[in-house]
Amino acid sequence: MIKKVILLLTISVFVSCENEQKINSFYEETTDNLVAYVNPLMGTDSSFDLSNGNTYPAIATPWGMNFWTPMTSKMGDGWTYKYDENKIRGIKQTHQPSPWINDYAAFSLMATTGKLKFQEDERASWFSHKAETVKPHHYKVYLASYDITAEVTPTVRAAHFKFTFPKSDESYIMLDAFFKGSMVKIIPEERKIIGYCRNNSGGVPENFHNYFEAQFDKDFELNHTWGDDWKLVENSTDNEGNHVGAIIGFKTKKGEVIHVKVASSFISPEQASLNLNREIGSDTFNQTKQKAKDSWEKELGRIKVQGKNIDHIKTFYSCLYRVLLFPRKFYEYDKNNEVVHYSPYNGKVLPGYMFTDNGFWDTFRAVFPFFNMMYPELNSQIMEGLVNTYKESGWLPEWASPGHRDCMIGSNSAPIISDAFLKGVENIDVQTLMEAMLKNATVSEGRPVNSTGRAGLEYYNTLGYVPYDVNINENAARTLEYAYADFTIAKMAEKLGKIDIAKKFYKQSLNYKNLFDPSTNLMRGKNKNGQFQTPFNPLKWGDAFTEGNSLHYTWSVLHDIQGLIDLMGGKENFSNKLDHVFEMPPEFDASYYGFTIHEIREMQIVNMGNYAHGNQPIQHMIYLYNYAQKPYKAQEKIREVLTRLYSATPDGYCGDEDNGQTSAWYVFSSLGFYPVTPGVNQYVIGSPLFDKATLKLQNGNTFTITAKNNTKSNPYIQSTALNGKSYSNNYIEFDAIQNGGDFKFELGNSPNKNWGSKLDNVPYSLSTENQ
């Protein structure tokens, strides 16, 4: 019996080791194929009522000017691709950053056979996810209603389509130029369709157009167009109106392939043609596809992660893919190969970079800090784009798509600019950007939309807060975000030697204290007369706050956590308050909205109390345990969020993904740290998810993170070492990463309450900077 047990144990150990070797070797063998791990369908199982990401499969190159995506929903529906729908209406060029912002400059291609069907409901084809290939660089689907396989692969400003037809005397490809103004012209002798679309959801000048050109590799046997109200005009070559489209027809043999090369431009038809010839030219479909794949491998390969859980690796690269999509390149290269852009602010074609499709309320938190760590050259171009936006519109953007949009709150261009400058991003027009930041903080007249500049500025600059009772919504949230923005302005001014400006804005950054209610230890709206709002329900979403309640926004003192700790009466009270958010039931008051908004429902269903990770204002909150000298509490909760609230599946997020921000939280946190305070040169340490992560930095250095004894049950840090030396701070500095080296964690299944727990170990706070 004993011999049998020994034999079984030996076999078990051998099989276990062999399986682990297989897992590790599988990882090693596929490190040059990181795209294989990415699932662009992550987050697509969403709806108005419940967001599991509110994403669509973006078939694109990193930061591409144009994305492509299959349409399961009607033209104009912000939820363009719903995972649980089963018909495709076309594959469209899209620029949509969010379903709430919706799309602009969209048009689509679709192929059919048999009796001509071109209206979007009629032409829609049944499809199955079982016959669908979705990768960042390649989309392929079987259009079952027509026995056609449709494929697309992208470049930055163009795309290559491949349609494989059955034997049919009635095969069609149609280009739908969408509503709100469009034109198509078929040129049979050149096998070409040209035209423009003008659809948008706001934020465009009067002369806004997206010019397109589609080149085919087969002669047309018929050509029709349609005009407004889906009126078919047979044997026509051009049409213009509110909503028009083009249809071309062929006879096809079984398995016959028709290719379409498509490009567009916001500048001119000639520029669209130039973009097409430059980015695809004579390339085959496979060549275009390989180039698109290579572009993703290059960027994904900047970070290599290794671990025993393949699902975690898939989730990591699926999230990293999302981080690398926005902001969108909104510039082109002219005939002299100079960078130019159509301005979505004044309608002119001007030199220089332009980026768009970004809500800084979301992305200042982790997306732009990620760029400063891994992509400073890109962020240098983005900063030039901000300078151009300011010069062309008179204001910095806060939500751009493609021009200024009235969405969200805050003054979050300031931390984005300040963090880039303070992190050493080069070639920044510092003086112009400083001028623009100060205008945001001091001028209220002439704001193009309410979200640009600072709503309630006069009140904030005189009273030290935006009052609750002066008809400015989300006033407490605005006050807290303005105060943090003031801190980042002060940090930048200080480094520039503008001492008087720095002193002024450091003082204003303490305005968060004006909303702290000591009777509840919470932030609370305050009336113009200095009295707190009554009645007060800390569970009430909206009202004085933005997509959250007082339990969420109380922690939005990113620059002075120690100051908040002091207001709460010390670290124990602070830590207990954090605990309470997680331990209480997911109760809420939705009366401000009149219905339960999706952000509330997403908090309610994940069983983490009132912690609402699916929305941005609270995503830094777990890391605040480090400031209270209890980092072990952060470690266990971070690991829980990483492993329970994210997965590379259609329902893989716990709320809106939002231009890469919710994904950037995962990317940072799985590496083992997070930028709680952009504008400060520190990342707060959490709990690394992977056995090993290697960061290839843009300066040529390599930073390696390893985690010994890293298992599901071992989230707790036992010790850390930086470049071979024992390290006990519960934060790591930006320069330590940029200088290259190695950071080693030893993990365990029980908290080491001594690690990182001394007062000297905690991260930066303004209140302790000069102590």
Side-chain angles (χ1 to χ4, degrees):
M1 183 65 181
I2 293 174
K3 289 181 179 178
K4 288 182 179 179
V5 170
I6 292 172
L7 179 61
L8 288 172
L9 284 172
T10 302
I11 292 171
S12 176
V13 169
F14 175 77
V15 171
S16 177
C17 291
E18 186 179 41
N19 286 341
E20 187 168 332
Q21 287 172 356
K22 284 181 179 178
I23 292 170
N24 289 334
S25 66
F26 174 75
Y27 172 82
E28 294 296 339
E29 288 171 4
T30 55
T31 52
D32 60 345
N33 189 19
L34 298 177
V35 167
Y37 295 121
V38 177
N39 183 7
L41 296 180
M42 182 176 174
T44 59
D45 186 9
S46 299
S47 67
F48 177 88
D49 298 318
L50 185 69
S51 172
N52 289 309
N54 268 337
T55 63
Y56 57 85
I59 314 305
T61 57
W63 308 289
M65 189 177 87
N66 305 323
F67 300 170
W68 296 85
T69 194
M71 295 174 62
T72 66
S73 301
K74 289 186 176 182
M75 175 183 62
D77 189 335
W79 285 264
T80 187
Y81 179 97
K82 302 185 185 76
Y83 186 79
D84 61 353
E85 291 184 333
N86 45 39
K87 286 187 177 180
I88 285 180
R89 303 162 184 266
I91 299 174
K92 76 167 179 174
Q93 183 185 103
T94 178
H95 305 90
Q96 179 171 297
S98 159
W100 313 106
I101 292 291
N102 215 304
D103 209 349
Y104 65 90
F107 63 94
S108 70
L109 273 71
M110 181 64 178
T112 67
T113 56
K115 181 181 177 181
L116 178 61
K117 299 175 183 178
F118 63 93
Q119 296 186 30
E120 65 171 338
D121 286 340
E122 294 178 352
R123 73 185 185 224
S125 172
W126 286 87
F127 84 105
S128 168
H129 298 301
K130 300 177 182 66
E132 182 186 40
T133 300
V134 192
K135 289 297 171 189
H137 67 294
H138 180 221
Y139 181 78
K140 180 179 180 180
V141 66
Y142 178 62
L143 302 175
S145 299
Y146 306 112
D147 193 23
I148 294 170
T149 298
E151 301 178 60
V152 64
T153 188
T155 72
V156 178
R157 300 167 188 85
H160 204 145
F161 280 80
K162 177 182 178 182
F163 297 101
T164 304
F165 284 90
K167 184 181 187 312
S168 174
D169 291 337
E170 299 174 297
S171 293
Y172 305 98
I173 296 175
M174 56 201 66
L175 190 155
D176 189 332
F178 280 32
F179 58 177
K180 299 186 179 181
S182 50
M183 183 274 282
V184 293
K185 182 177 182 179
I186 303 171
I187 309 174
E189 61 273 19
E190 297 182 27
R191 298 175 172 176
K192 185 183 295 185
I193 301 173
I194 61 172
Y196 62 74
C197 56
R198 303 194 64 204
N199 56 87
N200 65 85
S201 304
V204 299
E206 189 61 35
N207 67 347
F208 173 77
H209 289 74
N210 184 27
Y211 301 96
F212 52 77
E213 178 173 320
Q215 296 179 356
F216 296 75
D217 64 351
K218 184 177 174 68
D219 289 336
F220 307 161
E221 298 191 22
L222 65 81
N223 44 263
H224 307 319
T225 65
W226 75 79
D228 292 344
D229 300 317
W230 298 103
K231 182 179 180 181
L232 181 66
V233 184
E234 295 185 344
N235 303 314
S236 62
T237 57
D238 56 273
N239 217 317
E240 187 172 11
N242 179 61
H243 176 197
V244 305
I247 305 164
I248 56 174
F250 317 89
K251 291 183 175 67
T252 55
K253 300 174 183 177
K254 183 178 180 180
E256 184 172 354
V257 171
I258 297 176
H259 293 95
V260 190
K261 299 175 179 179
V262 188
S264 66
S265 168
F266 295 104
I267 295 173
S268 68
E270 294 77 17
Q271 183 67 43
S273 182
L274 182 61
N275 291 344
L276 183 57
N277 291 331
R278 180 182 283 139
E279 296 194 7
I280 297 182
S282 61
D283 284 356
T284 65
F285 181 86
N286 285 338
Q287 287 173 322
T288 305
K289 179 180 170 184
Q290 186 62 49
K291 287 180 179 180
K293 182 177 186 294
D294 290 345
S295 72
W296 278 109
E297 293 295 348
K298 176 186 175 183
E299 307 305 345
L300 296 174
R302 297 285 302 280
I303 302 179
K304 298 285 184 70
V305 297
Q306 183 172 350
K308 301 176 185 66
N309 188 315
I310 194 68
D311 290 331
H312 292 166
I313 293 172
K314 289 178 179 179
T315 304
F316 179 87
Y317 285 108
S318 296
C319 285
L320 184 55
Y321 148 79
R322 288 283 166 192
V323 176
L324 304 181
L325 287 172
F326 295 102
R328 177 187 315 287
K329 295 175 179 177
F330 202 76
Y331 61 87
E332 304 172 53
Y333 292 90
D334 67 13
K335 62 182 180 181
N336 298 317
N337 213 32
E338 298 290 334
V339 175
V340 294
H341 65 273
Y342 166 82
S343 173
Y345 302 100
N346 63 21
K348 298 178 181 178
V349 178
L350 297 165
Y353 291 104
M354 178 64 64
F355 291 78
T356 191
D357 290 325
N358 220 251
F360 291 168
W361 184 82
D362 302 293
T363 56
F364 86 85
R365 305 168 195 270
V367 173
F368 281 91
F370 183 78
F371 293 163
N372 290 331
M373 183 176 76
M374 298 300 299
Y375 292 97
E377 291 178 10
L378 169 76
N379 215 14
S380 176
Q381 296 172 0
I382 294 172
M383 291 303 113
E384 181 183 324
L386 293 182
V387 169
N388 289 332
T389 297
Y390 177 64
K391 289 179 177 178
E392 293 159 26
S393 74
W395 297 88
L396 289 168
E398 298 296 338
W399 231 121
S401 182
H404 294 302
R405 299 289 296 277
D406 190 9
C407 185
M408 306 312 293
I409 67 158
S411 190
N412 299 306
S413 53
I416 285 172
I417 294 166
S418 178
D419 195 45
F421 171 68
L422 294 167
K423 295 292 196 307
V425 172
E426 297 178 346
N427 301 317
I428 295 179
D429 183 348
V430 177
Q431 300 306 321
T432 299
L433 288 173
M434 192 71 195
E435 173 190 313
M437 293 163 70
L438 292 173
K439 180 178 179 179
N440 266 16
T442 57
V443 177
S444 60
E445 297 81 16
R447 295 183 300 120
V449 292
N450 196 48
S451 63
T452 300
R454 296 185 177 186
L457 174 66
E458 299 92 338
Y459 293 110
Y460 178 82
N461 285 352
T462 55
L463 299 175
Y465 61 93
V466 182
Y468 179 80
D469 58 345
V470 295
N471 296 317
I472 298 175
N473 65 330
E474 303 167 18
N475 38 81
R478 293 181 192 276
T479 299
L480 294 170
E481 295 198 18
Y482 296 167
Y484 167 63
D486 285 342
F487 166 79
T488 63
I489 293 171
K491 290 286 284 186
M492 185 165 168
E494 183 178 41
K495 188 170 182 178
L496 289 172
K498 300 177 184 294
I499 304 305
D500 290 342
I501 293 174
K503 287 180 179 179
K504 173 186 176 181
F505 283 95
Y506 275 132
K507 182 179 179 181
Q508 284 189 191
S509 77
L510 299 176
N511 282 343
Y512 72 87
K513 296 182 179 182
N514 295 327
L515 296 189
F516 186 79
D517 172 18
S519 70
T520 60
N521 269 356
L522 293 170
M523 296 295 176
R524 182 173 177 179
K526 182 179 280 189
N527 293 329
K528 187 178 178 182
N529 65 5
Q531 300 294 314
F532 283 114
Q533 68 169 107
T534 55
F536 172 61
N537 180 359
L539 298 175
K540 187 176 184 180
W541 282 61
D543 198 16
F545 300 99
T546 302
E547 296 180 4
N549 58 34
S550 180
L551 291 175
H552 305 146
Y553 256 96
T554 290
W555 317 103
S556 292
V557 186
L558 307 182
H559 57 297
D560 195 17
I561 302 302
Q562 183 59 51
L564 182 60
I565 290 171
D566 294 340
L567 289 175
M568 288 190 178
K571 290 182 168 63
E572 282 302 314
N573 287 345
F574 181 85
S575 180
N576 290 339
K577 201 75 171 179
L578 287 170
D579 290 342
H580 177 65
V581 174
F582 291 101
E583 293 168 356
M584 67 184 296
E587 298 168 341
F588 59 87
D589 175 354
S591 60
Y592 176 76
Y593 302 105
F595 68 101
T596 304
I597 62 173
H598 75 91
E599 289 92 346
I600 296 176
R601 192 69 72 204
E602 290 141 20
M603 176 201 75
Q604 182 189 35
I605 63 177
V606 298
N607 193 24
M608 290 192 76
N610 240 265
Y611 178 68
H613 188 80
N615 209 25
Q616 282 68 37
I618 205 171
Q619 288 180 349
H620 69 288
M621 175 188 156
I622 295 177
Y623 286 90
L624 302 190
Y625 282 111
N626 287 37
Y627 297 77
Q629 298 172 235
K630 295 186 178 181
Y632 64 93
K633 289 194 173 187
Q635 294 155 24
E636 62 187 11
K637 287 181 170 58
I638 289 164
R639 185 67 71 90
E640 180 182 4
V641 173
L642 285 169
T643 57
R644 195 161 66 77
L645 302 190
Y646 289 82
S647 62
T649 57
D651 64 346
Y653 294 102
C654 57
D656 279 359
E657 199 285 321
D658 281 331
N659 298 159
Q661 168 54 30
T662 300
S663 292
W665 187 96
Y666 184 95
V667 170
F668 265 120
S669 295
S670 66
L671 295 175
F673 49 85
Y674 184 78
V676 169
T677 313
V680 170
N681 67 336
Q682 298 172 351
Y683 305 100
V684 183
I685 293 172
S687 178
L689 184 61
F690 296 103
D691 297 345
K692 185 178 181 180
T694 304
L695 281 58
K696 298 179 181 178
L697 303 168
Q698 207 151 56
N699 61 15
N701 294 334
T702 298
F703 188 74
T704 303
I705 304 157
T706 55
K708 184 180 178 182
N709 301 324
N710 182 22
T711 66
K712 181 179 180 180
S713 59
N714 285 8
Y716 298 105
I717 295 173
Q718 305 301 301
S719 65
T720 52
L722 180 60
N723 298 327
K725 295 181 180 180
S726 179
Y727 188 86
S728 55
N729 290 336
N730 61 42
Y731 63 88
I732 185 170
E733 293 188 344
F734 172 80
D735 289 341
I737 294 173
Q738 293 299 310
N739 291 338
D742 61 86
F743 194 35
K744 294 183 179 179
F745 292 80
E746 184 168 346
L747 304 178
N749 62 9
S750 61
N752 176 1
K753 296 183 180 181
N754 293 320
W755 182 87
S757 63
K758 295 180 180 178
L759 187 59
D760 292 343
N761 299 147
V762 302
Y764 172 95
S765 286
L766 178 60
S767 291
T768 58
E769 183 176 29
N770 297 316
Q771 291 181 6

